[in-house]
């Protein structure tokens, strides 16, 4: 970073833009989680609930949204190594979420097959 061109005002604007990007990413993660959370926490047949969606899914999607927003922000600023590192962290979170099945619906909400 060139210290000759960087002023405190420019640094403040860059920091504010990064914070707003992270906040928008968190809101996007919440928007992705909301349909799964509503169906899993409200209960399905006989009030069966899947609390893993709240305790595992919500934090993973919020963190994933924040990291995705920051990866895009750093890519726009031209910091490719940082953006690639953040993208790798997002991929790791996605793999962890897929492995833990954090967006699973309650068992009764799934199709139970032909006997039903």
């Amino acid at each position: 970073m060139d210290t000759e061109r960087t002023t405190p005002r420019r640094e403040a604007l860059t920091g504010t833009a990064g914070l707003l990007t992270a906040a928008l990413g968190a809101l996007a993660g919440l928007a992705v989680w909301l349909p799964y959370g509503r169906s899993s926490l409200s209960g399905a047949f006989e009030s069966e609930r899947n609390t893993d969606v709240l305790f595992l899914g919500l934090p993973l999607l919020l963190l994933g949204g924040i990291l995705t927003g920051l990866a895009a922000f750093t890519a726009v600023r031209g910091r490719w190594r940082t953006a690639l590192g953040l993208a790798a962290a997002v991929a790791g979170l996605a793999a962890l979420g897929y492995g833990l099945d954090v967006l699973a619906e309650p068992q009764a909400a799934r199709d139970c097959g032909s006997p039903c």
Side-chain angles (χ1 to χ4, degrees):
M1 182 179 258
D2 296 333
T3 56
E4 296 173 9
R5 294 183 350 187
T6 305
T7 63
R9 180 175 173 88
R10 183 178 177 106
E11 287 180 11
L13 288 175
T14 302
T16 303
L19 177 68
L20 289 175
T21 303
L24 286 175
L27 287 175
L30 182 64
V32 168
W33 175 82
L34 197 58
Y36 296 100
R38 183 178 52 212
S39 67
S40 294
L41 295 178
S42 64
F45 182 70
E46 295 181 356
S47 298
E48 179 186 357
R49 296 182 179 170
N50 186 1
T51 56
D52 289 343
V53 173
L54 177 65
F55 297 123
L56 294 174
L58 181 60
L60 280 176
L61 284 172
L62 285 176
L63 188 58
I66 291 169
L67 290 176
T68 302
L70 290 177
F73 181 70
T74 55
V76 167
R77 292 192 63 216
R79 299 183 180 227
W80 297 106
R81 287 185 183 169
T82 306
L84 287 174
L86 288 169
V90 169
L93 281 176
L96 180 65
Y98 183 74
L100 294 175
D101 200 20
V102 296
L103 295 180
E105 295 179 3
Q107 187 66 31
R110 296 182 187 154
D111 182 25
C112 63
S114 60
C116 292

